[in-house]
């Protein structure tokens, strides 16, 4: 049995070291030096070239180096019978929680207004509210959305969440499906998108959705760039329906230098760093998944290919 590490945009060195520590008995090859494709049992991967996974005749599973598997599933040649395991990792979850808390607090405590005031040497107080008077609505109550929701509840915010199937979470007002969406959106003064990118969620952050939020709502997108219709956000910012946005993910990454988001005063841009995959921690999760697979069980983080996440 051999592992193939294939992540063209990542430096493999730390991964190879971490895999040697967690799975010392299993040889690892690094694409493109993969030797005989017939040896490869598991592919550990981020954005592999389309067609590569289909060329591995004895592939037993694909293990994603990210939580989102949209780019893997977009490969039309991905073998239908091969399980895809997404990354669920405590360090990744903690990292996303930090990002969401950071951006929610930046909105709540007027970070960009005070930065602008300081530049003008202006002593001006903004209306400060208590957290419990502000509602943060989280789209996606999975591994990442749930952890962020709990951290915001602990800070005293009124937190609501929206998912595909109904959820019951202590301290979080839960809404689900199309029928729950209007009520969820109507109170979300700060909207956080932590959805997976699927056929159902692509373009979900659009003019129609913005119009259903309270006037002056703030938007945080750490899901995927294609959740957002950029022009609709720019328009909603120009009318004041949306007062600001923090965006970590973009349809084209890196965000092109001439994109209007870069110098928009109400938009905060970060370069897809909301939750970074840390090799040592992620490898523990990946190794545990491989051991389960070797025992003939599908790990709980196996992707439902029909749902797309
Ligand atoms: P999960 O699969 O654990 O959770 C997904 C959540 O979204 C679930 O609550 C699910 O509902 C909900 N959902 C899915 N489809 C719909 C829909 N059509 N309508 C309503 N709710 C829906 O994913 P994670 O929390 O682990 O990750 C979420 C996403 O975050 C990833 O897919 C990735 O795109 C993004 N991400 C971004 C990173 C960054 O650095 N910016 C880093 C890591 C991830 P249900 O509970 O009913 O299944
Ligand atoms: C992920 C990401 O999906 O980093 O894990 O975007």
């Amino acid at each position: 049995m051999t592992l193939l590490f294939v992540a063209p945009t990542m430096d493999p060195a730390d991964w190879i070291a971490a895999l040697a520590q967690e799975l010392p008995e299993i040889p690892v090859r690094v694409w493109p030096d993969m030797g005989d494709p017939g040896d490869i049992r598991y592919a550990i991967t981020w954005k592999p070239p389309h067609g590569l996974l289909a060329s591995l005749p004895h592939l037993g599973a694909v293990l994603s180096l990210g939580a989102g598997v949209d780019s893997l599933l977009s490969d039309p040649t991905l073998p239908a019978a091969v399980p895809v395991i997404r990354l669920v990792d405590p360090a990744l979850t903690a990292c996303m929680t930090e990002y969401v808390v950071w951006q929610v607090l930046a909105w709540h405590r007027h970070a960009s207004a005070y930065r602008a005031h300081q530049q003008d040497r202006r002593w001006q107080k903004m209306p400060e509210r208590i957290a419990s008077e502000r509602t943060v609505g989280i789209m996606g109550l999975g591994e990442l959305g749930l952890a962020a929701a709990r951290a915001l509840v602990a800070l005293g915010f009124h937190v609501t969440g929206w998912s595909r199937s109904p959820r019951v979470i202590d301290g979080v007002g839960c809404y689900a499906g199309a029928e729950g969406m209007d009520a969820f959106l109507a109170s979300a003064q700060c909207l956080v998108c932590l959805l997976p990118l699927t056929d159902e969620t692509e373009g979900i952050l659009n003019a129609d959705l913005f119009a259903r939020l309270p006037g002056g709502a703030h938007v945080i997108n750490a899901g995927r760039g294609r959740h957002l219709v950029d022009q609709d956000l720019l328009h909603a910012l120009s009318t004041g329906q949306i007062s600001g946005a923090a965006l970590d993910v973009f349809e084209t990454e890196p965000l092109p230098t001439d994109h209007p988001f870069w110098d928009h005063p109400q938009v905060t841009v970060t370069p897809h760093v909301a939750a970074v995959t840390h090799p040592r921690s992620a490898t523990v999760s990946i190794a545990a998944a491989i051991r389960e697979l070797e025992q003939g069980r599908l790990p709980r983080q196996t992707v439902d290919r029909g749902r797309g996440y």
Side-chain angles (χ1 to χ4, degrees), residues 46 66-68 224 272 275:
W46 182 246
R224 285 287 183 261
H272 198 147

Side-chain angles (χ1 to χ4, degrees), residues 6 22 34 39 63 65 97 111 118 239 245 272 309:
V6 47
E22 292 303 320
M34 65 177 178
D39 295 342
L63 294 109
L65 290 170
T97 299
Q118 182 177 343
T239 64
H272 198 147
Y309 69 97

Side-chain angles (χ1 to χ4, degrees), residues 66-70 86-88 92 96 139-146 162-167 177 193-198 200-201 204 221-224 227 248-249 272-276 307 309:
V69 289
D70 44 288
R86 60 189 211 90
L87 184 66
V88 173
L92 186 86
M96 182 59 86
M139 302 180 85
L141 287 171
E143 295 293 333
L144 303 180
L146 178 59
W162 183 71
S163 53
R164 206 170 68 110
S165 51
R167 308 288 305 263
C193 177
L194 285 175
L195 290 167
L197 182 67
T198 66
E200 284 177 28
T201 65
I204 195 167
N221 185 20
R224 285 287 183 261
H227 285 132
D248 183 61
V249 284
H272 198 147
V273 287
V276 172
R307 278 187 333 193
Y309 69 97

